[in-house]
Amino acid sequence: MTNFLLVANLIFMFILLGLIANLVFNKHYQSIIENNKQEIEEHLLELDKLYITLIQKVNEHIKQIEHKYNQLEFKIDKNIEKDIEKMFTLNLRIDKNIEELFKKLKYLEDENAKKYKIIGNLKKKLHNIKKGK
């Protein structure tokens, strides 16, 4: 029976030693988990700061792009206005040239009509001269 008590006592001691070891390791792992939580929270704060900085930089770039786009749009509008003015001026010149051409054509038609009239009169006179002989 003493052997039995001795074995039971040893088993009890091993169980007690296991429980003590479990408590010690639990405390150790608990402190490791707490430290990891703090490190993770610090890293999350850093990530938040980096994210905010990134958003600010992206917004700045968007504003710069919008500004450049507006400048380019303004330049394009100015160039279009200049081109329209040039086209308008060119159309006026073309219209004036067409008017001058019509005036010249009218003058040539009038001159031609005078020549045909003179030729017609000369033909009549020539015909009258031929008849009169």
Side-chain angles (χ1 to χ4, degrees):
M1 178 91 91
T2 57
N3 283 340
F4 176 73
L5 286 175
L6 187 62
V7 170
N9 201 7
L10 280 173
I11 291 173
F12 180 70
M13 286 172 129
F14 277 122
I15 291 172
L16 193 58
L17 187 60
L19 288 173
I20 291 171
N22 192 14
L23 277 174
V24 169
F25 283 122
N26 277 344
K27 292 254 182 202
H28 177 70
Y29 286 125
Q30 192 70 24
S31 68
I32 290 174
I33 289 171
E34 281 297 318
N35 287 340
N36 284 343
K37 276 185 181 179
Q38 288 175 352
E39 285 181 30
I40 289 171
E41 287 176 358
E42 289 173 6
H43 288 301
L44 285 174
L45 285 174
E46 286 179 36
L47 283 174
D48 283 346
K49 289 177 184 176
L50 289 173
Y51 179 73
I52 290 170
T53 304
L54 178 68
I55 287 175
Q56 289 172 344
K57 287 185 178 184
V58 166
N59 284 336
E60 287 175 17
H61 285 294
I62 288 173
K63 286 179 183 178
Q64 289 174 356
I65 289 170
E66 285 176 344
H67 180 69
K68 287 179 182 177
Y69 173 79
N70 289 337
Q71 285 178 336
L72 183 63
E73 189 176 41
F74 180 75
K75 285 180 182 177
I76 289 172
D77 288 347
K78 280 292 209 183
N79 288 339
I80 289 173
E81 286 176 12
K82 287 179 183 176
D83 288 345
I84 289 172
E85 287 175 15
K86 286 178 184 175
M87 288 174 55
F88 184 73
T89 304
L90 185 61
N91 281 342
L92 286 177
R93 280 193 227 151
I94 290 171
D95 287 346
K96 285 181 183 178
N97 287 340
I98 289 173
E99 283 181 33
E100 286 184 29
L101 286 174
F102 274 120
K103 286 178 185 177
K104 287 180 182 176
L105 182 63
K106 178 69 175 154
Y107 172 77
L108 289 174
E109 286 175 347
D110 290 346
E111 287 295 313
N112 222 9
K114 287 178 187 175
K115 288 178 184 174
Y116 278 118
K117 191 173 183 182
I118 292 171
I119 291 173
N121 287 340
L122 287 174
K123 281 184 180 178
K124 284 182 186 176
K125 286 182 181 176
L126 185 60
H127 184 65
N128 289 338
I129 292 175
K130 282 185 182 178
K131 273 186 171 179
K133 270 193 178 184

